[in-house]
Amino acid sequence: MDGFSDLRFFALLMKEGSLAAAAQQMGLTAPAVSRRLALLEKRLGVRLLHRTTRRMRPTPEGETYLLEGARVLAELDALERTVSGARSTPRGLLRIAATLGFGRLLLAPALSAFARRYPEVELQLHLTDRPVNLVEQGFDAVVRFGELPDSRLTARKLMDNERVLCAAPAYLDAAGEPRTPADLLRHRCIVLREADETYGTWHLRQGDRQETVKVASPLSTNDGGAALAWALDGQGILLRSLWNVEDALHSGLLRPVLPTWKLPPADIYLVHPTRSELSAKTRALSEFLCEWFAR
């Protein structure tokens, strides 16, 4: 096997997480994949993986081979796109990651329309509440909320995303209406756990005033749909993106809480690696989604 083929093989092996899963993707048997890994390690003269019956993890040499190999493969792909003319025609596999709620409710319909416009693009949408490393996990693009943390990535804003506090009228009628952020401490609050970040700490601003409250959360979840269902059922006060609760607010099923106080925004971006020669499929996706959400 040539070096590029070996790099792609090892990247696939690490992405799938097991010999059996990689074998299924490649249409081979697990022993065949194991033999290929052994040949690769013999050719390089180093061990690339620590393996047990339950898991495998890369050695330091394996991590270097994986990360530097990803850069080499990206440069090769860019070269081949330039030579073959793929730069001008969106086609091939396009892997996208997004959060569960936004991905189901807003992104999936947009991607359905994108698929009709670009039938030569094969879409894979991965929805998760876990943090995603775009480069290491092999995604072409990720939809994320908030500021861009990595200067090696490029982001295009898809839509503004205001966050609001809200609750069912039945809950507010029974528990009373909070007048200040400190009043939240005596209320039941519904907390959404996202990306393993510290949760239940709410930051509010009114003009030059800023207050931080650690709320009581007898109900918490990692799923926005469940959190919204609890709020609608009168279980407490919810902090949620406006796109997710706007209909309920307009219909009166939920009422705003502390409407004169602002919460930190979490604008929504499409993020992709920064490359001088962006693939036609990723460029088409970026342009399409910006147009879609602008409407």
Side-chain angles (χ1 to χ4, degrees):
M1 296 291 180
D2 62 83
F4 289 119
S5 177
D6 282 341
L7 283 173
R8 295 188 191 279
F9 162 74
F10 191 69
L12 175 65
L13 184 60
M14 295 308 301
K15 179 172 75 72
E16 295 299 327
S18 71
L19 296 179
Q24 185 176 15
Q25 283 291 325
M26 299 174 69
L28 300 173
T29 63
V33 172
S34 180
R35 286 194 297 272
R36 179 165 181 183
L37 175 62
L39 289 173
L40 172 58
E41 290 178 327
K42 181 178 180 181
R43 182 174 71 80
L44 295 177
V46 295
R47 190 173 187 83
L48 298 176
L49 290 178
H50 294 302
R51 282 189 285 166
T52 66
T53 56
R54 293 189 174 183
R55 59 175 297 192
M56 63 182 188
R57 58 184 176 85
T59 64
E61 293 81 5
E63 290 182 349
T64 300
Y65 190 67
L66 178 66
L67 295 177
E68 291 298 315
R71 179 184 58 79
V72 171
L73 289 174
E75 291 176 352
L76 176 63
D77 288 342
L79 173 61
E80 290 181 346
R81 284 194 300 270
T82 301
V83 173
S84 67
R87 185 172 180 270
S88 60
T89 305
R91 62 164 62 97
L93 177 63
L94 185 60
R95 301 185 71 237
I96 309 154
T99 57
L100 293 166
F102 184 84
R104 282 195 301 261
L105 294 175
L106 296 186
L107 184 60
L111 292 180
S112 181
F114 177 83
R116 283 194 293 269
R117 182 179 295 184
Y118 298 103
E120 292 188 66
V121 176
E122 177 189 350
L123 286 173
Q124 283 187 2
L125 175 60
H126 179 72
L127 301 182
T128 179
D129 65 326
R130 308 288 297 177
V132 171
N133 187 306
L134 188 150
V135 176
E136 291 184 8
Q137 293 178 252
F139 288 104
D140 297 286
V142 172
V143 175
R144 63 164 289 127
F145 292 69
E147 296 300 318
L148 186 64
D150 193 331
S151 60
R152 297 172 299 174
L153 304 176
T154 297
R156 293 191 67 181
K157 184 188 286 190
L158 299 180
M159 59 187 289
D160 296 331
N161 181 34
E162 180 182 351
R163 287 171 167 167
V164 296
L165 295 176
C166 55
Y171 172 82
L172 294 175
D173 291 344
E177 193 95 23
R179 301 300 176 189
T180 69
D183 290 342
L184 294 171
L185 295 174
R186 61 178 178 81
H187 279 269
R188 291 169 58 90
C189 295
I190 301 165
V191 171
L192 189 63
R193 305 190 310 271
E194 294 182 296
D196 287 342
E197 297 174 354
T198 301
Y199 58 91
T201 301
W202 292 353
H203 306 278
L204 298 99
R205 177 176 52 81
Q206 186 184 65
D208 294 332
R209 295 176 59 192
Q210 296 190 31
E211 294 197 28
T212 298
V213 181
K214 177 67 174 178
V215 300
S217 52
L219 290 174
S220 66
T221 177
N222 67 338
D223 181 72
L228 177 57
W230 286 337
L232 291 169
D233 196 36
Q235 289 291 345
I237 297 173
L238 174 66
L239 188 161
R240 198 70 181 111
S241 293
L242 184 58
W243 63 262
N244 191 227
V245 297
E246 192 168 22
D247 289 345
L249 289 170
H250 285 166
S251 67
L253 293 174
L254 294 176
R255 285 209 316 248
V257 172
L258 298 175
T260 63
W261 288 81
K262 299 295 183 183
L263 294 149
D267 296 337
I268 302 170
Y269 294 87
L270 181 72
V271 180
H272 58 76
T274 300
R275 294 172 182 160
S276 57
E277 293 292 338
L278 192 63
S279 68
K281 59 188 179 183
T282 305
R283 184 183 300 105
L285 177 72
S286 178
E287 295 297 334
F288 182 89
L289 291 182
C290 285
E291 294 173 7
W292 178 275
F293 287 107
R295 299 199 299 266

